[in-house]
Every structure is written in C-alpha cells, then in structure tokens.
Amino acid sequence: MAITWRVTLLMLAGIVPVVLRPAASTAAVWILLVVVLTLLDVLLAPKPAALEISRIPLRGIRLGESTTSELTVRSPARSFRALVRDAWQPTAGAVRNRHRIRLGRGDSTRLSTPLQPRRRGDLRALGVTVRAYGPLGLGARQRTFPVEGSVRVLPAFESRKHLPSRLQRLRELDGRAAVRVRGQGTEFDSLREYVRGDDIRSIDWRTTARSRTVVVRTWQPERDRRVVLVLDTSRTSAGRIEGAGGGVPRLDSAMDAGLLLAAIASRAGDRIDFIAGDLRVRSRVRLAGQRDVTQRLQEAMADLEPIIAEADWSNLAGAVAGLGRHRALVVLLTPLDPHAIEESLLPVLPVLTQHHRVVVASVRDPELEATAASRDTLEDVYAAAAAEQTLRRRDHTAAMLRTLGVDIVDADAESLPPALADHYLQLKATGQL
C-alpha cells in the first residue's frame, strides 16, 4: 500500500479540533480517524492486478538517437484511477515515465515514455509499477509487474558522413566514373566496342579479327579480396579521449573506423571478416556475400565492452589464421600503447605479416600534444615532459612496427575513420591488397 499527500494535509487539519478542545484524547481520536479513513480507502481501491498491461516491441537504434517505449493499459472489469511508472535501467535515459490515468470499465490507453540511451548494448525495462488510488485519494494499492521490454542500442557510426565521398573515389577506381584502363591492381572486366580516346594498347586483336568492329578490353580494380577487422577490447581500449562530441571511449572510436572501412570494402566487392577479443575471442562474424554488412557489424559490436586485462594477441592471431591462409588485409583496431604492443603484439606480428598485409589503426589522444605544448607554470613543465616521453615512446613503437612491414594509421577520434578509409583506397588503387 501507499499513502498520498492528502493524508499529511488531513493530519495537519487536526490542529483545529485540538485548538478548540486541547486534550490528548482529541489528538488520539483525530489520528485514529485518519488511520481508519486511509485503511478504508486502501481497501476500496481497485487491485492493480486487474489491469492488462502489454508493451509494444522496440526496434534497434544507434547510440545518440532517441526512441519511445509504449505501454498499452486496459481495464476490463472496473474503473481505474492510477499512477503508472514505466521503469528502465538508468542508462536507458527514460524521461517523463510517470503517467496518471483514468480508465472506465473496458477502456484502454497507450502510455509513451521517451528513451535517450547513454550506452550501447541491450537496455532492459525493470518493470511497470501501478499505484491504484481509492475513492478518497488518501491511500492506494501498489504493485510492480515484470512487463518485459528491451531496446538494442547499436554503435553510433558517426563516420557515415564520410561514406559518399569515399564511394565516389571507389567508383573512380572501379571505372564507373572514369575510363577503365589497365594498370597495377586491376583485372580483366569485359569487352566493348572501341571509341575515340581509348588506349590502343587495350585493343583485343583476336576478338577484333573475328568481328567487324574494333574491340577493346576494359579493366577494373581487383575484387573479392579479404578484409579482416580485429577489434581490441582489452584495458587499453577503455580510455576516454576527446572527440567531436566530447569524451568518447577508444573502443567506440575504433568501432566507428571499422564500420566505415567495412562499408566501403563491401561496396568494392571484398569479403569482410570481423573478430573482437582480449584474453579470448568475444565475437567472430563472417560477412562474405552479405548485403547489410554495416548492420551485421553493428549488431556484433553492440554488446562489446572493454575488460581490465591485457589482450592475448597470440589467441587473436590464431583466430585470424582460422579464417583461412589466403592473403588478406588485416586491420588491427588497437591503441598504439607501447607496453601492450611490445609485450604481446610484436611476437606474433611476423606470423601475420608473412601471409597478410597488416595495418594498425590507432586512436591518438590530442590531449598529449596539448599537454606537451603547455609550458606556462612549473607543473605544466613537468606534465609536458611526461607527455613528450609518452609521444616519443609511441613514435618508437610505430617505427618498430613499420620495420616489420606494418602500416600505421594514427589519428584522433574524428580523423581516424576517413584516414583508414583513404589508406584502404590507396592500397586498392596501387594493387597492394
């Protein structure tokens, strides 16, 4: 049961009879009267179990978007005056989730609760609490019902704004926006009739001899390559850095870069594989021939969270080898942390570079450069010295990786996705995949 503010007002109203008849018995009688009226009101209140409550399923949304949870409440037997609270876990961002309803017998209503999720993953409803008031409004029956509900929040994919310009560059490579010519990293596409301006070296003389017109060969960039995305979910990916929308985890920035690269590579006709892990493999998805590559990847990434442990790169490299020994572009989405890379990643890199083209994509913290440049006070000087040491260790680690044949893409959270996409397009254009 529950009591309302009217009980407090009724108690305060007892000051009047106490003033008129100042005696302990007067106060006792008044308190007893209020208690009896409240209990009677609770007994006359309708039972919350008489309501029929159902929830409309929610579709998945991206982080940063909002949605609405909708409940359908029906009273089949009697009239109802109640307060309904649609409770969600705090990170779901439920606002204005308390609804006052008045229902007649057989009436129904729909209650809407806006949700503004603040993290990825499956966010669940905690239950629906109904407080049914009595006719006097002094007391109420209250009960919480486990009405199941959840909303799946996918990675934000902020970098999709860069997709049109990179697809335009891809079309130019593919020959749909430019004349197709033979060169490094291209393969035979089709035959067509010669037109003025075509390179005479592209003429297919055998076909021309069998036909009445001059026929030329057309070429396109090699397709059906393999791109393997390896996402590091260890402790180094948990750090927050400054991005376009404020502080964001390194893991989310790496996801954004991986999604943009996967979207472009799938349009280029390449096969996408995805592995995420730390001490063990947390997610493994093969997307060969899939049309909704980014949607599948977002689903696979939604529940991933960093753990406070080092990455076992030997285990992750084994997972890459398990996908096949055909040459692939292996993109390691991991922070360029000197200690973690030197201890765990360096020993397994020769095995990866022997069979694959390896790229390390790292989110760079712009605060390091800002701290290293600040020398105003004595404390700033000490902080700048520490920042300079960290930057030099990062540069030294990057140099070691390059000597092993690894490409490095190191940029801030906003610049990393387009930088990684540009690096892929450059490799595509020069035939290095």
Side-chain angles (χ1 to χ4, degrees):
M1 63 169 287
I3 61 174
T4 68
W5 55 270
R6 296 186 181 186
V7 175
T8 304
L9 291 181
L10 195 58
M11 283 289 189
L12 292 176
I15 296 175
V16 176
V18 170
V19 170
L20 296 177
R21 186 177 181 275
S25 59
T26 303
V29 170
W30 186 262
I31 292 174
L32 179 62
L33 176 63
V34 172
V35 171
V36 170
L37 288 176
T38 302
L39 292 176
L40 182 61
D41 200 37
V42 170
L43 292 175
L44 294 176
K47 295 181 179 181
L51 288 177
E52 296 178 355
I53 305 176
S54 60
R55 187 186 303 275
I56 298 176
L58 294 174
R59 63 174 182 85
I61 60 172
R62 293 192 180 101
L63 185 63
E65 298 177 349
S66 59
T67 186
T68 302
S69 169
E70 294 189 342
L71 294 173
T72 301
V73 182
R74 182 173 180 271
S75 176
R78 56 173 299 180
S79 60
F80 246 90
R81 184 165 63 94
L83 176 67
V84 179
R85 177 174 179 261
D86 186 8
W88 287 75
Q89 64 185 86
T91 50
V95 294
R96 301 189 301 276
N97 62 339
R98 290 173 171 82
H99 311 276
R100 295 190 178 275
I101 61 171
R102 288 179 178 270
L103 297 176
R105 183 176 180 179
D107 290 346
S108 64
T109 186
R110 180 171 291 184
L111 309 178
S112 299
T113 299
L115 301 178
Q116 299 172 348
R118 296 191 292 271
R119 72 169 182 86
R120 292 176 288 101
D122 291 322
L123 307 181
R124 304 188 181 281
L126 301 179
V128 177
T129 301
V130 178
R131 181 178 291 179
Y133 297 103
L136 300 178
L138 298 175
R141 297 175 185 262
Q142 181 171 305
R143 183 176 175 182
T144 300
F145 301 92
V147 182
E148 294 185 359
S150 66
V151 57
R152 189 166 184 81
V153 184
L154 307 176
F157 196 14
E158 297 287 350
S159 62
R160 63 183 179 275
K161 62 187 177 183
H162 301 290
L163 192 57
S165 61
R166 270 61 188 182
L167 290 180
Q168 175 64 25
R169 290 182 57 186
L170 180 64
R171 284 193 292 269
E172 293 174 358
L173 290 177
D174 202 22
R176 287 188 290 270
V179 177
R180 296 183 177 182
V181 294
R182 183 176 184 176
Q184 188 178 20
T186 60
E187 60 184 5
F188 174 75
D189 179 44
S190 61
L191 298 172
R192 63 169 173 80
E193 186 176 347
Y194 174 86
V195 295
R196 181 176 297 180
D198 284 340
D199 189 346
I200 60 173
R201 292 173 296 180
S202 299
I203 297 176
D204 189 314
W205 294 107
R206 289 187 178 182
T207 307
T208 300
R210 294 194 298 266
S211 62
R212 296 182 179 180
T213 59
V214 179
V215 178
V216 296
R217 296 179 179 180
T218 60
W219 308 85
Q220 66 176 4
E222 292 181 337
R223 305 174 70 87
D224 201 25
R225 305 291 94 183
R226 287 181 57 223
V227 178
V228 181
L229 302 176
V230 183
L231 181 65
D232 179 8
T233 59
S234 66
R235 65 164 185 86
T236 56
S237 64
R240 301 184 71 88
I241 59 175
E242 292 299 320
V248 293
R250 290 180 185 271
L251 181 62
D252 288 38
S253 300
M255 289 179 178
D256 201 24
L259 287 170
L260 180 62
L261 177 58
I264 297 173
S266 64
R267 298 289 184 90
D270 293 339
R271 293 172 291 169
I272 312 297
D273 295 319
F274 173 72
I275 294 173
D278 32 71
L279 289 174
R280 61 182 180 86
V281 176
R282 304 283 175 177
S283 178
R284 191 196 322 254
V285 182
R286 307 206 68 172
L287 299 170
Q290 299 289 336
R291 303 182 66 180
D292 52 345
V293 170
T294 54
Q295 180 69 24
R296 290 282 307 278
L297 272 183
Q298 285 179 306
E299 292 284 348
M301 293 175 174
D303 293 325
L304 295 176
E305 295 292 343
I307 68 167
I308 310 302
E310 298 287 351
D312 185 356
W313 281 105
S314 61
N315 191 15
L316 296 178
V320 173
L323 298 175
R325 300 183 65 86
H326 296 289
R327 183 172 176 80
L329 174 65
V330 179
V331 181
L332 307 181
L333 298 163
T334 180
L336 199 59
D337 182 83
H339 175 75
I341 288 180
E342 293 172 10
E343 292 291 330
S344 182
L345 180 57
L346 278 180
V348 303
L349 273 179
V351 178
L352 289 175
T353 55
Q354 183 179 0
H355 301 286
H356 308 292
R357 183 66 181 252
V358 180
V359 177
V360 171
S362 171
V363 183
R364 191 178 185 91
D365 190 354
E367 286 296 317
L368 283 175
E369 284 86 354
T371 303
S374 179
R375 312 287 175 88
D376 298 333
T377 64
L378 182 61
E379 292 182 356
D380 291 341
V381 171
Y382 282 111
E388 286 284 0
Q389 185 179 17
T390 301
L391 290 173
R392 288 184 180 180
R393 288 196 62 191
R394 284 173 57 91
D395 293 340
H396 176 68
T397 302
M400 285 194 302
L401 294 177
R402 290 189 179 97
T403 59
L404 294 174
V406 177
D407 298 337
I408 305 297
V409 180
D410 188 23
D412 58 65
E414 187 175 3
S415 303
L416 180 63
L420 182 58
D422 291 340
H423 186 73
Y424 164 80
L425 292 173
Q426 180 183 3
L427 294 177
K428 195 84 170 173
T430 55
Q432 298 183 52
L433 294 185

